[in-house]
Amino acid sequence: MAAAAATAASTKGNEGGGGGRAGAARASGGTRKKKGPGPLATACLVIYNVVMTAGWLVIAVGLVRAYLAKGSYHSLYYSIEKPLKFFQTGALLEILYCAIGIVPSSVVLTSFQVMSRVFLIWAVTHSVKEVQSEDSVILFVTAWTITEIIRYSFYTFSLLNHLPYLIKWARYTLFIVLYPMGVSGELLTIYAALPFVRQTGLYSISLPNKYNFSFDYYAFLILIMISYIPIFPQLYFHMIHQRKKVLSYTEEHKKFE
C-alpha cells in the first residue's frame, strides 16, 4: 500500500502511509527521550529531509502551475511525472538509513512503506500508460504531496530541535483526510490498470517455460487491492490513537510551561 505506507508513515513507526523513516528520533512527545543520531548522521539526515521537502514542494508547485495553465485537473500527472518518479524513488535511501542504524525504525516496515509507493509509481502508473490520465492518479499524487511536505518538514525541524506546533499538528491531523484520499486514489488507479494488464499480459509469465514457473500479474494486482481491506483500518485507527497521545501530551506540556 502506498498511502497506507506513507501517510501511515507519518505515523509509520510513529504514526502510521509514512515510522520516522528518515526523521528525527520520534519527536512525538513521549515521556522517554531516545538518543538521537550523531552529528554527522544528523547533518546527513537534515540535508536529506531538506532536499526531499524541496522536491515535494517542486511537485506541488508543478501541479498548481499546470492546473492554472490548463484550467483543469485532468491529466496533470504529465506535468510532474519526472520529479515525482525521482523523489519518490529517492525515498529508497530511507531503507538504507534504517539498515545502517542512523534512523531507529524497522527495516522491514520501512521497506514495505517505501516499496509500496515505488511499486505504484513504476509497476503500475509508469508501466500502464493508459492510467496516467486517470483522475485517480492526481488523487493519490495530491495526497502524497501534501503528506510528504509536512512529513519531511516535521523531520527536519525535529532534527534541529525546533519543531513548530503547527507542523506537528498538521502531521498528526491532516492524515484524517489525506490517508483515505490517497488510498482511494491508489485503489482506483490499480483497478483502472487491470483491463490493460489482462489484455497485454504485462509482467505475467505463462507455462510452459524452462524454469517451470508461472506468474499472473493481473491476479497479483487483485491480491494487492484485497490486502488494503485488513491493513487500512488497522493503520488508520493506529494513527488516530497516536494523534490523541501526541497532541494531548503537547497540550499538557504547554500547561506546565
Side-chain angles (χ1 to χ4, degrees):
M1 314 186 63
T7 310
S10 276
T11 294
K12 282 173 177 169
N14 289 328
E15 161 197 318
R21 297 197 321 203
R26 311 227 200 296
S28 57
T31 56
R32 185 174 55 187
K33 291 187 177 180
K34 296 183 178 181
K35 184 179 179 181
L40 184 59
T42 298
C44 177
L45 290 175
V46 168
I47 292 172
Y48 171 81
N49 284 292
V50 168
V51 169
M52 294 299 279
T53 302
W56 285 95
L57 280 170
V58 167
I59 294 170
V61 171
L63 285 172
V64 173
R65 290 182 62 183
Y67 175 77
L68 294 176
K70 297 177 62 175
S72 171
Y73 57 84
H74 299 296
S75 301
L76 292 182
Y77 171 79
Y78 303 106
S79 65
I80 49 83
E81 180 180 4
K82 290 182 179 179
L84 176 64
K85 289 177 177 177
F86 179 83
F87 287 103
Q88 186 54 66
T89 304
L92 290 170
L93 284 173
E94 298 175 21
I95 300 174
L96 174 63
Y97 295 152
C98 293
I100 63 179
I102 65 175
V103 172
S105 294
S106 165
V107 176
V108 174
L109 179 60
T110 300
S111 298
F112 168 76
Q113 293 159 351
V114 174
M115 291 305 298
S116 62
R117 280 190 170 198
V118 173
F119 174 83
L120 189 61
I121 287 294
W122 290 102
V124 179
T125 310
H126 170 79
S127 300
V128 185
K129 306 294 183 184
E130 291 83 357
V131 305
Q132 295 176 1
S133 58
E134 292 286 333
D135 294 342
S136 58
V137 173
I138 294 305
L139 193 63
F140 77 71
V141 168
T142 300
W144 289 9
T145 301
I146 298 172
T147 296
E148 297 299 67
I149 290 172
I150 294 171
R151 187 170 67 87
Y152 286 116
S153 297
F154 177 93
Y155 291 148
T156 300
F157 284 109
S158 294
L159 286 162
L160 297 174
N161 296 315
H162 187 69
L163 178 63
Y165 177 76
L166 180 62
I167 292 179
K168 174 184 274 191
W169 178 88
R171 185 191 175 205
Y172 287 96
T173 301
L174 296 187
F175 76 86
I176 295 173
V177 174
L178 294 175
Y179 189 7
M181 177 179 168
V183 166
S184 298
E186 294 163 23
L187 286 171
L188 289 171
T189 299
I190 297 174
Y191 180 77
L194 289 177
F196 303 102
V197 171
R198 189 170 198 174
Q199 181 181 357
T200 62
L202 180 69
Y203 299 141
S204 295
I205 303 173
S206 58
L207 292 171
N209 57 66
K210 64 179 181 179
Y211 300 108
N212 197 31
F213 170 80
S214 66
F215 174 71
D216 189 341
Y217 188 55
Y218 176 84
F220 178 70
L221 289 179
I222 292 177
L223 288 175
I224 287 179
M225 294 179 68
I226 294 174
S227 73
Y228 277 65
I229 297 174
I231 294 176
F232 171 77
Q234 293 182 51
L235 288 178
Y236 192 72
F237 287 113
H238 170 68
M239 290 186 283
I240 292 291
H241 175 73
Q242 284 295 108
R243 180 182 187 274
K244 292 179 180 178
K245 183 172 67 174
V246 171
L247 296 186
S248 63
Y249 174 86
T250 301
E251 291 299 326
E252 291 178 11
H253 185 67
K254 283 183 176 180
K255 292 179 182 179
F256 291 100
E257 288 183 337

